[in-house]
Amino acid sequence: MSAFLSPGLLWGLLLAAVPILIHLLARRRYRTIRWAAQEFLRAAFRKNQKRLRVENLLLLIIRTALVVLLVFALARPYVSGAVAGAVGSRPVHYAVLLDNSYSMGFNDGLSTPFERALREARKVVDRLGREDSFSLYLTVDDFSGSRAGTPRSILKDSHDREKLNALLGRLSAGTASSGASRLADALAVLADELSSTRPGQQVVVLSDLTRHSFEGGPSTPGAADREEDAEDGTVRTLRDLFEEIARKEASISLVDVGVSAAASAGVVSLAPAEDRPLVERNQEDFVARVANHGPAPVSLDVVFRADGENKGSVRVDLPAAPERGRAPETAVRFTFPPLAAGPQVFSAEIPADGLRADDTRYYAAKVRERIRILAVDGDPMPDQGLSPETVYLKHAVAPMPDRMEMEVIDYQGFLTKDLEPFDLVILANVERLREDKVRLLEEFVSGGGGLIVFLGDRVDPGLLNRDLFKEGDGLLPGQIASEPVLLDRDRSEVRFDLTDLPAHPLLDAIFGVAEDPEGFMKALAPRVWGFYPLTLPATSPVLIRLSDAERRPALVEKRFGAGRVLLFTTAADLDWSDLPRIMIVPLLHEAVHYAVRHDPARLNLLPFEPFAREVSERVMDVQVSTPGGGRERVTPVTGEDRRSKVRFTGTVEPGPYRLVYRTAGSSAIDAGTRETAEAFAVSVESTE
């Protein structure tokens, strides 16, 4: 049978009456006035009258036919089923791309774009002939059991109409996914699977065609690999993909199933106002950014919660979204009351609207009782009446008892010390480490702990390079020279060079324009008369250099697993510099905050982005509780680098996820199991 994709446009056939009306109006009679030369004109008119009638009739038919054909073309007629086969048309392969990103779940009170897209897909199925075939692609595959959230085909080259309708019925029973969509990713998959020798291919894209869909860049893990899969490594833009589809003799239709000028707002982001660890009993400021995507300004309440408990709300006025471009974001600041220690998930929430997926934003973090620091003093000298190596470090921490506490031990005490209760370890002029302690320290840092190393006159560069640098695979960011550079204490002009610092969170918190607008701190650059040169790999950034002719490193950083390592090339006491007297308090505070901070991106994920972290080899398994109430057990896997890792890929729904780690005892004395908790959160991509 025949039908139309847009039957409502057939009302345009009424326009075919316009040429007829013009023709009839042109034939109406006029008042006759006789005059002398009339007889000559009447004779000429009788001679050409028949020809003029035929010409006028042809002109009328042509005008009317043009209107009718234009209306039929806009209504998009098609022939389906047995009729198509009876007329002997060539087989058609329909490749349908169904956008199921979370914006397709917007409910305008009647239906969602996802529901309308499924209705359009059924229309394509209804017009299939007996020889026609059908392939169905999803922009975010959460349907076939995949947890990748990447575009893929869920049905290829099917002729079975019952199977197609059953598949669309299963999709209708669900909702749009929680993932974001970029059409370039999905069209790249579809274009690669089109045949270059198969005629009669038709690509149909069913989408709400949001601006984000057309923007470049990966929206899901692996998208970058899919977009840059051309032989020369260039990115395949939408224009490139349209041209590639055309070269394969396939037509493409974009069907907009979205709604325009819809009233909707969303929480774009949520994070602490200051980028530092959260500490128990402290009031912490958070900033939520909220945007209005609708055509009219709105006023609403932003509700802030901690582990689901309402902690208060803030009223905010949001301006209307511009006709073009991004909606402006409004910052909403809220102070949470004193926090409790442990893993917590904070949230900012606005009243539910048509698109509920972006009405809540989550932020997961570990709230510490305090930042617990273990300082290993390699030169305590208690029997000589001299100051220990860590005396200035201890004094620097003392002014912040509600945020930091430091325990100082010597090397022998460190050999039997359990690192689990601590957030940061400081090695101050430590000569060497025993092999078993190196392994435990590596586990501590790779699991998210921090490490700060100060050198000095007691260190053994050969042993530290062997056990801690390991030719670039160990904890230290650089190889220590065999001998230190020792200058005259009273005459040395070498200082920390603070004139040209790189942009870095640790440095910006002390020397940045916002914190030090007059440059007062930079003017206090400490003098140095003793330090160790380093040989650095390219992966170890230098944060501060010395002002000597070679501009050798003073402070270097390295990422090791989930943790951070900071290496000072001078000593922690006054033996090699006046750093402890001039700048140790702000520099140590910010170094501690930076080194112990778990990367927020590791605990705050997008849908389908896997949660991964390195753990101790003593972790036996991890139980994960999902936002929907499900539970899964994950077993750590040891990689080729002999490090134990946990990887959870079931991040398909937004909300808080809770983890419980079961860890075996570290010795025969401590043979029991211990459980520790952690939390992470999943929020939808705000730019969708």
Side-chain angles (χ1 to χ4, degrees), residues 15 41 123 125 138 154 170 211-212 293-294 314 318 350 456:
L15 296 175
L41 293 175
K123 290 180 182 179
V125 174
L138 295 178
I154 60 173
R170 289 172 57 196
R211 176 175 53 83
H212 180 265
H293 306 291
V314 177
L318 303 178
I350 62 174

Side-chain angles (χ1 to χ4, degrees), residues 448-522:
L451 174 64
I452 298 177
V453 179
F454 287 91
L455 301 180
D457 58 356
R458 298 277 306 249
V459 304
D460 186 322
L463 295 178
L464 290 184
N465 288 332
R466 185 195 68 185
D467 298 331
L468 294 182
F469 180 64
K470 296 183 177 180
E471 298 184 351
D473 294 330
L475 290 165
L476 289 183
Q479 182 174 355
I480 306 171
S482 58
E483 296 292 335
V485 174
L486 299 177
L487 307 173
D488 185 278
R489 178 170 187 155
D490 297 324
R491 298 182 179 181
S492 173
E493 294 298 326
V494 176
R495 296 178 178 272
F496 276 32
D497 186 355
L498 305 178
T499 58
D500 187 19
L501 297 173
H504 191 277
L506 190 161
L507 305 177
D508 293 344
I510 306 172
F511 308 108
V513 175
E515 301 296 331
D516 186 28
E518 303 297 330
F520 175 76
M521 293 300 299
K522 290 184 177 181

Side-chain angles (χ1 to χ4, degrees), residues 651-685:
T651 56
V652 298
E653 53 185 325
Y657 290 73
R658 308 286 177 180
L659 302 94
V660 176
Y661 296 84
R662 286 200 315 135
T663 306
S666 58
S667 63
I669 299 175
D670 180 22
T673 60
R674 181 173 61 252
E675 292 187 349
T676 54
E678 189 174 31
F680 69 91
V682 173
S683 300
V684 297
E685 189 169 353

Side-chain angles (χ1 to χ4, degrees), residues 74 149 189 664:
L74 293 175
V189 175

Side-chain angles (χ1 to χ4, degrees), residues 605-676:
L605 310 175
L606 297 174
F608 304 101
E609 187 177 1
F611 171 82
R613 66 164 293 183
E614 292 188 14
V615 296
S616 167
E617 62 183 15
R618 294 180 284 113
V619 173
M620 300 182 292
D621 58 43
V622 183
Q623 181 173 284
V624 183
S625 300
T626 65
R631 291 190 177 185
E632 296 188 35
R633 192 169 295 277
V634 181
T635 302
V637 176
T638 302
E640 295 180 357
D641 55 1
R642 294 180 296 178
R643 294 176 181 170
S644 187
K645 300 178 178 67
V646 167
R647 182 180 176 87
F648 175 72
T649 59
T651 56
V652 298
E653 53 185 325
Y657 290 73
R658 308 286 177 180
L659 302 94
V660 176
Y661 296 84
R662 286 200 315 135
T663 306
S666 58
S667 63
I669 299 175
D670 180 22
T673 60
R674 181 173 61 252
E675 292 187 349
T676 54

Side-chain angles (χ1 to χ4, degrees), residues 50-69:
K50 187 175 182 179
R51 180 177 58 82
L52 290 173
R53 284 180 179 176
V54 172
E55 289 178 354
N56 288 336
L57 183 60
L58 287 175
L59 184 59
L60 174 63
I61 293 173
I62 291 172
R63 288 171 174 170
T64 307
L66 286 175
V67 174
V68 172
L69 291 175

Side-chain angles (χ1 to χ4, degrees), residues 345-359:
V345 177
F346 304 88
S347 64
E349 177 184 329
I350 62 174
D353 53 28
L355 186 59
R356 297 192 175 187
D358 65 350
D359 291 340

